[in-house]
Amino acid sequence: MSAAPARARRLPLVLRNPSFGRVWAGQLLTQAASRMFQVGAVWWLVGFAGGGHRGLDSGLFLMVSTVPAVALAPLIARTVARHAHRTVLAGAATAAGAVAVTAAVLARAGVLPMTAAYAVGLALAGCQAVFDPCLTTSVPELVEDADIESATGFELSTQSVAGLCGGLLGPLVVDAGALTGVAGVCGAAYLLAALLIGATRFPHHGAGSGPAPERRSLRQVLAGLPFIRRVLVCFAAANIFTTAVYVVMPLYTREVLHSTGSTVASLETALGAGTLLGSVTGGRLPGRPVTVGSVCLTVMAAALALPGLFAGHAAALASMAVAGWCVGVIGVRFVALFQRLVPADDKPAFFAVMQGVLGATFPVSSLVFGTLGDHLTATTLCLVQGAGLAPVALALWWLGSRAHAAGQYRRPDAPAPVPAGEAS
């Protein structure tokens, strides 16, 4: 064997697999654009367009932005299962680009009312709700089986990088060019992603992309995965308190730090950088996934409460960095676990319903914390976040102990449990 294949094997996956590299770049562009518009619009509502109910206005916007992933989960699952994944990915990116560019043109002409920002957020969220589970499902079509772990790490780290870039640029672009600027930049990113994905060949195209007989319903898929179903319920409960940071951070910046969009950008950057670091290091931590997850939730509870106890920019930055790291670790450990435990034919339905279940609490979180933000101080909201996560961490630890004792770390059709060291 020559040294060339060995050297190629040592290259990062995005370099030695051009197809995956282009789709990865498209993912980075779409998710960064989605995050940029979301963060930028929230800061626009809190810092510029909002009136006496800034908390409620921003909470309603975030709630609207999460509705498609929940309401359309069955339709998304059928779409991903029945159509070529490249077509679905490119189509979703193109539609989002068209919406964002149209919004930028109307805003530039001064004919885009404030309420239209909610409609644009809803449309972009709908496109992203189709894009994300389709991308996760298509990973086996882009890489060899031995590279699935690496591809999963790249996919999750991309979400972190996208969150970092979008969170950093969103408030800054709004400060410089209002909603017109952020919509225009997002539109260009979406359309470039559509071009990249549309020009990509999926080399392992097979059963995962196109019509497949005897697909099980969402209810049947989850009924056959009781352990994973309970894990998803725990994370849905955790999301009520963790995703509230997207309402609390802008309010904290305005009420406690008395600062501008650059401070919101710095907090978003800390969150994104922490998540990226967690995605890179999460697979190396010892322990079973649920044990690691429960410890991370406990650490996150303390981190989110920190700015409520010690008000200041440094405490807020540390809080976001640590919380982001925990999110990254949890994501990489559990998505890799799901990739192994969920049967291949059930993955389109499962990843759609996973996004729907986890997203279902985001509207509740946004509305509740947005409403509370008009009546409670931002420091009190930080304490509420930390206190709410503590019992969820305990419940997840208890679930993991029971599952390990019962040998539930395995696929329903597998003859034996997956060793703890491999289920990561």
Side-chain angles (χ1 to χ4, degrees), residues 285-384:
L285 295 178
R288 298 188 301 272
V290 177
T291 303
V292 173
S294 60
V295 171
C296 284
L297 285 180
T298 302
V299 174
M300 197 188 310
L304 292 177
L306 180 65
L309 299 173
F310 305 97
H313 196 179
L317 283 174
S319 169
M320 292 299 98
V322 174
W325 181 82
C326 293
V327 169
V329 171
I330 291 171
V332 84
R333 294 299 292 268
F334 279 89
V335 171
L337 178 68
F338 296 159
Q339 287 279 15
R340 286 193 166 90
L341 298 189
V342 177
D345 287 345
D346 290 336
K347 285 182 181 179
F350 172 76
F351 284 116
V353 79
M354 181 184 77
Q355 180 172 320
V357 168
L358 296 181
T361 53
F362 199 4
V364 177
S365 173
S366 301
L367 185 59
V368 169
F369 276 85
T371 302
L372 290 176
D374 290 331
H375 302 281
L376 302 177
T377 64
T379 52
T380 302
L381 294 181
C382 294
L383 297 176
V384 172

